[in-house]
Amino acid sequence: MANSLPRPLAAVRNARLPDGRVVDLSFASGVVSAITAAGAADVLGPTLDLTGRLLLPAPAEPHAHLDKAGSFDAINPKLGDLGAAIDAWRGHATGMSVESIAERARAQALVMLAAGTTAIRSHVDVLGDGGAGIEDVTRGARALVQVRAELEGLVDIQLVALAGPHCPDHHLEAVLDAGVDLVGGAPHLAPDPPADLARLLAIAQRRGIGADLHADENLFGPVTLDAYARAVRDWPGDRPRTAGHCVRLGTLEAARRDAIIADVKAADVGIVTLPITNLYLQGWQHPVSTPRGLAPLRELLDAGVRLGAGADNVRDPFNPVGRGDALETASLLVTAGHLSPEEAYGLVSTGARSVMGLPAAGPSVGAQADFLAIGAVNLVDAIATAPADRVVIHRGRVVAVTETRRELPALSATAS
C-alpha cells in the first residue's frame, strides 16, 4: 500500500463485516456494484486485500468547527462553560488571518480523514462586529471555502454560516455569498430567541437554502427547538433542516420533551448530538448530581427521528481535547449515552450521513463506496480500542492509510 494516493479500486477482498461474514466487494463509478463470498468471483482491475481488517461504513462528521480547531494552545483559555468559551474565542478571532484559519482547518480535516471520516459539515463563524467590513466578516468563510476546494475528491465538506444574535443580516448574506451552503446560528443565545430564529429562517427561505442551527445548548433556559420544527414543517422535503446540541431537550419534563420530539419528527428535522463538547461545557454550575449534557438519545431513536452524532469542537476553547475520531464519539455514546455499540456507530456513520443529506454508504449494492477498514476483530473491539491501523476508502478510492508497528519485550515462559 505504498502507492500514491488517492488510488482507485475495482474491489476489496477478504473484508470482514460486523456480522462476521468475510466477503469481496466490487466497485463501479464510486458505488458498490457486487458483494460475494470471499474468493467467489474474479475481478478485473486493482484490488486491495483486507485480510485481518473489519470493514465498516465510513464515518461522517455532521457538526464540526474547522475554523476553531486546534486553536486551544494559542488562546490558552481559562477552562469553563459555554459563556467562557465564547468570550475566549471572540477575543482571539479578531487577529486571525484567512491563511491561519485555513492552515488549522486543513490540518484538522486531514486528521479526520485519516481516522476514517469522508464527509464533514462544518460551521464557520460570521466574524467581526456590526461595524466590521465585509473582508473581515468573511475571513473564516473564505478560508473554509478554500480548504473545501483543496480537499475536493478526498472528503466531502459542507459549510454552515454561524451567525451570532448581533450579526447584521448583510454580514450573514456576505458569508453565504462567499460560498457557504447553509444558514446557521444560535437563537437560544439571543436576547429575543423567537425573533432571532425567525430572522435566520427567513434568510434561508428567501435564498432557498437549508438551515443547521445550534439549538438550546443549555441545561436550563430558553427552548427554541419546537418553534424551529414547526417553522420548517412545510419546507420542501429536500431542503436541509438540522438542529445541533439540543441539550435542553434532555432536561425537560417528559410530557413536554415528548411533544417536542413529535414536532421534530413531523418536520423531519435531523438532530445532532455532540457528546464530548457538551459533556465538557455543561454542568459547571452543578457540582452535585452534575447533569449530562446530552440530548435524550433513546427517546429520539425510539421516535424514529433522524439522529446523528459528531465531535463538534476539537482542541479549542469549547473543548480542550478530542482526537477528531468518530470512534471516540461512538465510545462516549456507549458510556454516557447508554447506547449499544451498534447504535453508537450507526449515529456516527449512517445516521450522520442521513442528517447531512448524503447518500447511504457501506456494504450494500448501490451504496456509495465509502468505508473504514480497521484492524479490529469486531465492532466492539473497534470502538473500545480505536486501533490506529486504518484504510479509508472514499467513492471507491483509497484516500488514506495509517499503519502502525508495535514492539514488546519477549516474556520468559513460566512454570505452571
Side-chain angles (χ1 to χ4, degrees):
M1 289 186 289
N3 297 337
S4 61
L5 302 180
R7 181 155 48 92
L9 292 173
V12 294
R13 297 188 179 277
N14 303 311
R16 185 171 58 255
L17 301 182
D19 62 11
R21 289 181 296 150
V22 179
V23 300
D24 296 342
L25 291 88
S26 299
F27 306 145
S29 302
V31 302
V32 179
S33 58
I35 303 175
T36 60
D42 293 328
V43 176
L44 297 177
T47 64
L48 177 64
D49 188 349
L50 295 179
T51 298
R53 294 182 185 270
L54 179 71
L55 189 69
L56 300 170
E61 173 54 68
H63 187 120
H65 289 268
L66 293 178
D67 56 337
K68 297 181 173 73
S71 62
F72 183 85
D73 290 346
I75 299 175
N76 192 25
K78 179 181 177 181
L79 301 184
D81 61 9
L82 179 61
I86 291 173
D87 290 343
W89 172 250
R90 284 177 176 167
H92 177 77
T94 56
M96 298 186 309
S97 66
V98 172
E99 292 74 19
S100 68
I101 299 169
E103 182 178 4
R104 287 186 293 97
R106 183 188 307 110
Q108 180 60 32
L110 289 173
V111 165
M112 295 165 73
L113 177 63
T117 295
T118 60
I120 301 168
R121 178 181 288 180
S122 178
H123 297 256
V124 54
D125 279 22
V126 181
L127 294 168
D129 56 25
I134 296 303
E135 289 294 306
D136 187 44
V137 165
T138 60
R139 280 173 295 146
R142 287 183 284 128
L144 265 60
V145 167
Q146 173 187 325
V147 171
R148 180 178 63 188
E150 292 172 351
L151 300 183
E152 185 177 5
L154 302 177
V155 56
D156 299 324
I157 297 179
Q158 302 173 354
L159 299 177
V160 185
L162 180 54
H166 303 294
C167 164
D169 288 2
H170 70 283
H171 283 182
L172 173 54
E173 298 268 11
V175 167
L176 294 170
D177 290 341
V180 172
D181 306 298
L182 302 171
V183 170
H188 61 283
L189 297 178
D192 186 346
D196 195 49
L197 174 67
R199 173 182 79 103
L200 295 172
L201 295 181
I203 293 173
Q205 185 83 320
R206 184 168 68 249
R207 296 181 70 110
I209 60 176
D212 186 340
L213 302 181
H214 288 54
D216 310 337
E217 191 182 0
N218 44 45
L219 296 170
F220 304 97
V223 176
T224 63
L225 183 56
D226 49 353
Y228 179 21
R230 291 193 294 269
V232 300
R233 185 167 181 171
D234 295 328
W235 277 16
D238 60 350
R239 184 178 298 172
R241 70 291 299 270
T242 310
H245 299 288
C246 304
V247 174
R248 182 74 172 97
L249 189 62
T251 64
L252 294 173
E253 57 89 19
R256 189 176 184 203
R257 175 201 66 201
D258 293 347
I260 294 175
I261 290 176
D263 285 335
V264 167
K265 171 65 175 174
D268 195 27
V269 174
I271 302 296
V272 179
T273 186
L274 303 157
I276 188 169
T277 294
N278 283 133
L279 288 168
Y280 169 71
L281 287 176
Q282 306 299 325
W284 286 78
Q285 291 77 32
H286 303 272
V288 177
S289 299
T290 306
R292 298 181 180 194
L294 292 176
L297 306 181
R298 176 58 54 203
E299 289 76 12
L300 288 164
L301 283 172
D302 288 349
V305 170
R306 289 188 300 119
L307 181 62
D312 197 4
N313 300 84
V314 178
R315 296 191 64 198
D316 65 27
F318 299 80
N319 173 28
V321 293
R323 302 194 304 267
D325 182 357
L327 292 177
E328 181 178 39
T329 300
S331 180
L332 286 168
L333 292 171
V334 174
T335 304
H338 294 167
L339 299 185
S340 71
E342 293 76 17
E343 290 170 326
Y345 193 78
L347 293 197
V348 301
S349 56
T350 305
R353 291 185 69 88
S354 174
V355 167
M356 296 172 69
L358 297 172
S364 177
V365 173
Q368 186 164 306
D370 278 36
F371 293 97
L372 168 61
I374 189 165
V377 298
N378 54 37
L379 182 59
V380 174
D381 182 39
I383 294 174
T385 62
D389 277 84
R390 306 184 189 197
V391 177
V392 184
I393 298 169
H394 177 46
R395 298 185 183 180
R397 302 192 304 165
V398 178
V399 292
V401 177
T402 302
E403 297 175 318
T404 62
R405 177 176 177 271
R406 176 178 292 172
E407 186 174 351
L408 294 171
L411 301 180
S412 300
T414 56
S416 58

